């Protein structure tokens, strides 16, 4: 377990990649059909499952947690999220752990200054890019994730 904690601690990457446009949107609506979102998240997960973790990575050759979240939300929700975990942790609205819905972001403090992010898919599970397993699915009630849980945020859909 200690090895897992050490290995998972390095995902709060902030590589020097070109900055993307900041997230914008103010609608308070959320998916009326959670089932459709769950299906979309699982379909996306199965396309990326097992892709290795790479600090600063942004594609199927290797991806880190914040890039995986940004890419997922861009492709599924047309949201343009910032590239880093710390910037993503400031988006949307904070929500309680008990109010999670599919598509919400879950954040963890994995070290003194290390942060990790994933996407809640429902039934107590979230998908993320793990340093030890690559893109994977984990349970929020896992002792490691439960003890490192920091916050959850609900992104709001863009309006035009």
């Amino acid at each position: 377990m200690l090895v897992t904690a050490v290995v998972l601690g390095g995902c709060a990457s902030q590589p020097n990649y070109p900055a993307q446009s900041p997230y914008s949107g103010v609608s308070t609506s959320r998916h009326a059909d959670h089932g459709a979102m769950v299906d979309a998240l699982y379909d996306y997960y199965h396309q990326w499952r097992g892709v290795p973790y790479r600090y600063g990575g942004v594609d199927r050759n290797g991806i880190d947690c914040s890039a995986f979240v940004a890419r997922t939300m861009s492709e599924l929700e047309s949201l343009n999220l910032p590239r880093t975990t710390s910037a993503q942790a400031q988006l949307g609205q904070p929500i309680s752990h008990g109010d999670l819905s599919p598509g919400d972001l879950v954040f963890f403090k994995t070290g003194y200054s290390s942060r990790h992010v994933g996407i809640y898919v429902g039934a107590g599970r979230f998908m993320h890019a793990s340093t030890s397993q690559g893109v994977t699915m984990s349970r929020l009630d896992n002792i490691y994730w439960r003890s490192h849980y920091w916050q959850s945020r609900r992104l709001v859909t863009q309006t035009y």
Side-chain angles (χ1 to χ4, degrees), residues 105-121:
L105 304 186
V106 289
F107 294 89
F108 306 88
K109 289 184 176 181
T110 54
Y112 177 73
S113 62
S114 298
R115 305 293 180 260
H116 185 73
V117 62
I119 302 171
Y120 185 71
V121 298

Side-chain angles (χ1 to χ4, degrees), residues 100-143:
L100 285 168
S101 291
D104 290 337
L105 304 186
V106 289
F107 294 89
F108 306 88
K109 289 184 176 181
T110 54
Y112 177 73
S113 62
S114 298
R115 305 293 180 260
H116 185 73
V117 62
I119 302 171
Y120 185 71
V121 298
R125 299 171 63 90
F126 69 103
M127 62 185 201
H128 60 115
S130 160
T131 57
S132 62
Q133 299 174 14
V135 174
T136 191
M137 192 81 66
S138 296
R139 294 193 52 84
L140 286 171
D141 63 0
N142 169 282
I143 193 165

Side-chain angles (χ1 to χ4, degrees), residues 64-79:
D64 67 24
C65 65
S66 57
F68 179 67
V69 166
R71 189 167 186 146
T72 302
M73 298 313 284
S74 174
E75 293 186 24
L76 296 185
E77 292 288 298
S78 299
L79 296 176

Side-chain angles (χ1 to χ4, degrees), residues 82-104:
R83 174 64 183 85
T84 65
T85 303
S86 60
Q88 290 173 2
Q90 299 174 36
L91 299 177
Q93 303 168 337
I95 56 169
S96 71
H97 184 272
D99 289 332
L100 285 168
S101 291
D104 290 337

